Amino acid sequence: MGKYEGDARRLLDLVGGTANIKAVTHCMTRMRFVLVDPKQTDEPAIEEIASVKGIFTQAGQFQVIIGNDVAEFYKDFTAISGIEGVSKDEAKAAAKSNQNVAQKIMGTLGEIFAPIIPALICGGLILGFRNVIGEINFFTDSGAFDLANGTKSLADISQFWAGTYSFLWLIGEAVFHMLPVGICWSITRKMGTTQILGIVLGLTLVSPQLLNGFSVASTPAKDIPVWDFGFAKVQMIGYQGQVIAAMMAAFVLVYLERFFRKHCPEVVSMIVVPLCSLLPAVVIAHTIVGPIGWKIGDWIASAVYAGLFSPVRVLFAAVFGLLYAPVVMTGLHHMTNAIDTQLVTQYGGTALWPMIALSNIAQGSAVVGMAFLQKKNERAQQVNVPALISCYLGVTEPALFGVNLKYRFPLICGMIGSASAAMISVGLGVEATSIGVGGLPGILSIKPQFWGVFLLAMLTAVVVPFVLTVAVGRRKLTAVDRFGKEPAVAAVAEPVAVSGTAVAPVAAPAPASEPTADQSAAPTELTAILDGTVIPIDQVPDDVFSKRIVGDGVAFEPTGTTVLAPADATVSVVMADTGHACGLKLANGLELLIHVGIDTVSMGGDGFQLHVKAGDTVRRGDPLITFDPTKIKAAGHPTTTMLIVTGEGTAENVTMHSGFTAIAGETPVITWK
């Protein structure tokens, strides 16, 4: 009989029995359930179970907080229920069954684009800067600064800026022209198939052997190269910057690989599966996916051209302004370049491009609204600020995929602002001399006689999305969305005793001396586990920790990357499959939990290395976990690391110290008599 058999049996009844459980797993502190019908749970009764410290629901999972003994509780629960536990990825997948179709689509898009958002942000900033120095004519032939009559850009009059302009395209091309490579890789990564095959597939879509996708519109059909198979000819067209074609091709590859891996004998799978998956996927991409993508693009281009000159052009402007941002997310917006070029050639200007610039401004302004709402959420601001800068410089993908699509309502608010601004622009006849920077600097490409009207349209594109986003966000965003945590209760510099009694603020304690044999037997302090700033536990952006559900302690905003043992101890438990957490037990009975990052269990161990195993004896300062903060941030998680006292132990008057910078292995952060 297990220690938690009674509590486990009680929990099984209160969550609705085995018939109500789709999947169950656990992390370092909590049981994670995916339930058929969450309404069948008796939450008040579950909270009364002795071993349960709290409950909450997140991302489709019903989570029951147990604490350090969750692994033992989990064993008893699965033994009693007869339910076989699943991996965390499987539980996450099962949780999606509780979501509607729209949530699933949005979630899938988010998971596909999340890993490539850092590249999009970087590329967007670089491309925007490159456009400013090379695409806008600030100067006349004589070198005088003249915005109205300029014929030369900064790159035209300076060799340094010309070289910079050329060099920066190396990065811009890699990010945006080669985007299908990143998309194919991300999809194979998400779907659990062979990632290198996804990369190879993406490369075949943007190979230099093909006619660059951006040059197709200006290339006569007879000059487009073909593969001639005798019985059929296939155009050698690249898909630079295309999203839909890349996604379709990648999913073809994924399902082909899954099929052949399932039916192919293991002895020849190394040869058969890659060949039979990749080759058909490439063929389908260039014979079916590509042509379909271009047909969709041609249809959109024709509709836009006709709408600009129709009697109901203001209505068309509203529709175009409303829908342009979603079209950008498909990659089909590049087709508008051909229309703009034709309009400039035939009529000496284009009324289409100003609407595109206004749409970019509107989506950027929605991000400004989110930045205003989330000004105290440092994690969100790491994405918001670069995204809005990039958007205002003309590249919207970081804002669309990194912020607006994630929350949905900013995307809609931006679309409404874009539609309003587009109606002003088209209705009053605004034209641009050529394609320029699709953001705030875009006014420099507008014919001077329309500057006043375009400024009004720009103001509309800034104010309307911002006001709508702030108004809607104040109702829709949770405290965690806005602040990154529940509102803090205690001040940063106020240490709090485990008993809940506040004590006077303290300065950073003096460095600890080397541990002695007496300290090993009866330690009176725990030293910092990381270099970095020590913060109160109630400022951690996770209720399980900030509300002291699993115990009191301190947290670190780390500058170091290796977690050190805070005292001589025995390793009681480790998360071997994820490497993000471990438990320690001191000689005096105190039990400790060390947890790196927030919700980093979802990373599946990527970026973490454990240096210990359960049962090991460690000395103060010994390495426990090494982590990669870049990978944690790229996955969208805070690096905040917790040191929690979870066991009853024998220590009294335990005091938590915070509000200073600590040195790992030296600075005391938790002390007692």
Side-chain angles (χ1 to χ4, degrees), residues 210-376:
L210 309 172
L211 176 65
N212 189 297
F214 291 97
S215 302
V216 172
S218 59
T219 303
K222 63 183 180 61
D223 294 334
I224 297 177
V226 299
W227 288 292
D228 191 344
F229 297 99
F231 66 91
K233 293 181 179 180
V234 178
Q235 291 183 322
M236 299 172 62
I237 294 175
Y239 298 95
Q240 285 79 1
Q242 295 294 314
V243 174
I244 288 181
M247 292 180 65
M248 291 175 66
F251 278 110
V252 168
L253 174 64
V254 164
Y255 288 108
L256 282 172
E257 181 175 346
R258 286 182 173 181
F259 174 82
F260 286 110
R261 193 168 297 283
K262 179 179 180 181
H263 295 91
C264 180
E266 185 69 25
V267 67
V268 293
S269 64
M270 182 66 72
I271 299 173
V272 174
V273 173
L275 178 63
C276 293
S277 303
L278 183 61
L279 181 57
V282 174
V283 172
I284 292 171
H286 286 279
T287 58
I288 299 176
V289 172
I292 289 176
W294 283 110
K295 287 295 182 182
I296 295 173
D298 287 342
W299 178 82
I300 293 176
S302 298
V304 171
Y305 183 82
L308 282 170
F309 298 96
S310 70
V312 290
R313 60 182 181 274
V314 174
L315 177 61
F316 169 80
V319 174
F320 183 89
L322 186 71
L323 299 181
Y324 182 73
V327 169
V328 170
M329 293 188 289
T330 71
L332 297 175
H333 63 296
H334 295 300
M335 292 302 299
T336 61
N337 292 335
I339 303 175
D340 277 314
T341 302
Q342 184 174 349
L343 291 174
V344 171
T345 301
Q346 292 184 1
Y347 303 101
T350 171
L352 176 65
W353 185 84
M355 289 195 294
I356 294 172
L358 292 169
S359 177
N360 294 351
I361 294 170
Q363 291 298 322
S365 300
V367 179
V368 174
M370 291 299 294
F372 175 80
L373 290 168
Q374 298 178 308
K375 56 182 177 289
K376 295 184 180 180

Side-chain angles (χ1 to χ4, degrees), residues 267-494:
V267 67
V268 293
S269 64
M270 182 66 72
I271 299 173
V272 174
V273 173
L275 178 63
C276 293
S277 303
L278 183 61
L279 181 57
V282 174
V283 172
I284 292 171
H286 286 279
T287 58
I288 299 176
V289 172
I292 289 176
W294 283 110
K295 287 295 182 182
I296 295 173
D298 287 342
W299 178 82
I300 293 176
S302 298
V304 171
Y305 183 82
L308 282 170
F309 298 96
S310 70
V312 290
R313 60 182 181 274
V314 174
L315 177 61
F316 169 80
V319 174
F320 183 89
L322 186 71
L323 299 181
Y324 182 73
V327 169
V328 170
M329 293 188 289
T330 71
L332 297 175
H333 63 296
H334 295 300
M335 292 302 299
T336 61
N337 292 335
I339 303 175
D340 277 314
T341 302
Q342 184 174 349
L343 291 174
V344 171
T345 301
Q346 292 184 1
Y347 303 101
T350 171
L352 176 65
W353 185 84
M355 289 195 294
I356 294 172
L358 292 169
S359 177
N360 294 351
I361 294 170
Q363 291 298 322
S365 300
V367 179
V368 174
M370 291 299 294
F372 175 80
L373 290 168
Q374 298 178 308
K375 56 182 177 289
K376 295 184 180 180
N377 185 339
E378 293 183 6
R379 174 184 174 188
Q381 296 295 66
Q382 291 174 0
V383 175
N384 291 341
V385 175
L388 68 89
I389 293 174
S390 174
C391 207
Y392 277 157
L393 289 178
V395 180
T396 56
E397 283 86 350
L400 290 173
F401 294 116
V403 183
N404 294 351
L405 180 61
K406 176 182 177 181
Y407 293 99
R408 292 188 288 280
F409 72 86
L411 174 65
I412 297 172
C413 294
M415 291 165 61
I416 294 172
S418 172
S420 303
M423 292 171 67
I424 295 173
S425 178
V426 172
L428 297 178
V430 174
E431 286 188 342
T433 56
S434 65
I435 299 171
V437 181
L440 292 176
I443 191 172
L444 301 176
S445 297
I446 302 298
K447 293 181 178 180
Q449 63 266 36
F450 296 115
W451 276 16
V453 175
F454 192 70
L455 278 172
L456 176 62
M458 288 176 66
L459 184 62
T460 302
V462 170
V463 173
V464 172
F466 176 82
V467 172
L468 290 177
T469 300
V470 171
V472 176
R474 281 177 171 163
R475 296 196 304 271
K476 281 186 170 291
L477 291 181
T478 65
V480 174
D481 289 328
R482 293 186 63 179
F483 305 108
K485 59 182 183 294
E486 294 293 337
V489 177
V492 172
E494 291 182 359

Side-chain angles (χ1 to χ4, degrees), residues 121-138:
I121 290 175
C122 176
L125 292 173
I126 288 174
L127 201 59
F129 178 67
R130 184 177 180 274
N131 287 341
V132 170
I133 65 176
E135 304 297 334
I136 301 176
N137 294 326
F138 291 105

Side-chain angles (χ1 to χ4, degrees), residues 49-278:
I49 298 175
S51 54
V52 172
K53 296 178 172 62
I55 59 174
F56 65 99
T57 300
Q58 185 179 53
Q61 294 184 3
F62 180 70
Q63 302 186 20
V64 180
I65 304 161
I66 303 297
N68 264 16
D69 287 344
V70 67
E72 189 174 348
F73 188 100
Y74 176 77
K75 289 179 182 178
D76 288 347
F77 184 88
T78 53
I80 291 169
S81 64
I83 299 174
E84 183 177 353
V86 300
S87 69
K88 296 170 184 65
D89 287 340
E90 291 171 324
K92 186 176 179 180
K96 291 184 178 179
S97 63
N98 290 337
Q99 300 174 336
N100 59 40
V101 174
Q103 289 173 326
K104 290 178 181 178
I105 293 174
M106 293 295 184
T108 299
L109 284 174
E111 290 179 11
I112 289 172
F113 282 95
I116 59 179
I117 284 174
L120 292 174
I121 290 175
C122 176
L125 292 173
I126 288 174
L127 201 59
F129 178 67
R130 184 177 180 274
N131 287 341
V132 170
I133 65 176
E135 304 297 334
I136 301 176
N137 294 326
F138 291 105
F139 306 95
T140 64
D141 291 338
S142 63
F145 184 82
D146 190 336
L147 290 178
N149 302 303
T151 58
K152 291 186 177 181
S153 68
L154 190 60
D156 291 330
I157 66 171
S158 167
Q159 186 57 51
F160 170 78
W161 290 114
T164 301
Y165 177 80
S166 177
F167 174 78
L168 291 179
W169 179 237
L170 184 68
I171 302 174
E173 182 185 43
V175 174
F176 293 103
H177 276 216
M178 308 303 174
L179 183 61
V181 179
I183 291 173
C184 291
W185 161 77
S186 184
I187 289 175
T188 52
R189 176 179 179 269
K190 168 182 162 41
M191 303 300 287
T193 55
T194 307
Q195 296 176 32
I196 187 60
L197 294 183
I199 293 172
V200 173
L201 174 62
L203 290 171
T204 67
L205 297 175
V206 295
S207 169
Q209 299 178 39
L210 309 172
L211 176 65
N212 189 297
F214 291 97
S215 302
V216 172
S218 59
T219 303
K222 63 183 180 61
D223 294 334
I224 297 177
V226 299
W227 288 292
D228 191 344
F229 297 99
F231 66 91
K233 293 181 179 180
V234 178
Q235 291 183 322
M236 299 172 62
I237 294 175
Y239 298 95
Q240 285 79 1
Q242 295 294 314
V243 174
I244 288 181
M247 292 180 65
M248 291 175 66
F251 278 110
V252 168
L253 174 64
V254 164
Y255 288 108
L256 282 172
E257 181 175 346
R258 286 182 173 181
F259 174 82
F260 286 110
R261 193 168 297 283
K262 179 179 180 181
H263 295 91
C264 180
E266 185 69 25
V267 67
V268 293
S269 64
M270 182 66 72
I271 299 173
V272 174
V273 173
L275 178 63
C276 293
S277 303
L278 183 61

Side-chain angles (χ1 to χ4, degrees), residues 367-655:
V367 179
V368 174
M370 291 299 294
F372 175 80
L373 290 168
Q374 298 178 308
K375 56 182 177 289
K376 295 184 180 180
N377 185 339
E378 293 183 6
R379 174 184 174 188
Q381 296 295 66
Q382 291 174 0
V383 175
N384 291 341
V385 175
L388 68 89
I389 293 174
S390 174
C391 207
Y392 277 157
L393 289 178
V395 180
T396 56
E397 283 86 350
L400 290 173
F401 294 116
V403 183
N404 294 351
L405 180 61
K406 176 182 177 181
Y407 293 99
R408 292 188 288 280
F409 72 86
L411 174 65
I412 297 172
C413 294
M415 291 165 61
I416 294 172
S418 172
S420 303
M423 292 171 67
I424 295 173
S425 178
V426 172
L428 297 178
V430 174
E431 286 188 342
T433 56
S434 65
I435 299 171
V437 181
L440 292 176
I443 191 172
L444 301 176
S445 297
I446 302 298
K447 293 181 178 180
Q449 63 266 36
F450 296 115
W451 276 16
V453 175
F454 192 70
L455 278 172
L456 176 62
M458 288 176 66
L459 184 62
T460 302
V462 170
V463 173
V464 172
F466 176 82
V467 172
L468 290 177
T469 300
V470 171
V472 176
R474 281 177 171 163
R475 296 196 304 271
K476 281 186 170 291
L477 291 181
T478 65
V480 174
D481 289 328
R482 293 186 63 179
F483 305 108
K485 59 182 183 294
E486 294 293 337
V489 177
V492 172
E494 291 182 359
V496 182
V498 166
S499 62
T501 304
V503 297
V506 296
S513 59
E514 290 297 319
T516 65
D518 289 341
Q519 286 176 314
S520 178
T524 59
E525 65 185 21
L526 302 179
T527 55
I529 57 175
L530 280 165
D531 292 338
T533 303
V534 188
I535 64 173
I537 199 65
D538 56 23
Q539 292 191 6
V540 173
D542 187 314
D543 284 352
V544 174
F545 299 110
S546 64
K547 293 183 178 179
R548 299 180 176 84
I549 294 174
V550 295
D552 204 353
V554 294
F556 299 80
E557 296 296 351
T559 56
T561 59
T562 299
V563 177
L564 305 183
D568 298 352
T570 299
V571 180
S572 56
V573 62
V574 297
M575 293 298 291
D577 56 341
T578 60
H580 75 292
C582 68
L584 303 177
K585 188 168 185 177
L586 277 57
N588 66 354
L590 277 182
E591 295 180 6
L592 311 176
L593 166 64
I594 295 173
H595 195 288
V596 180
I598 304 299
D599 201 30
T600 44
V601 65
S602 63
M603 295 175 64
D606 184 28
F608 296 90
Q609 180 183 1
L610 269 173
H611 300 293
V612 293
K613 61 182 182 299
D616 284 354
T617 299
V618 295
R619 301 279 290 176
R620 174 178 294 170
D622 285 351
L624 303 176
I625 301 170
T626 298
F627 61 93
D628 185 341
T630 303
K631 287 189 175 182
I632 295 175
K633 291 177 181 178
H637 305 302
T639 56
T640 308
T641 299
M642 284 62 67
L643 172 60
I644 307 295
V645 179
T646 61
E648 297 296 333
T650 58
E652 297 179 357
N653 300 320
V654 180
T655 302

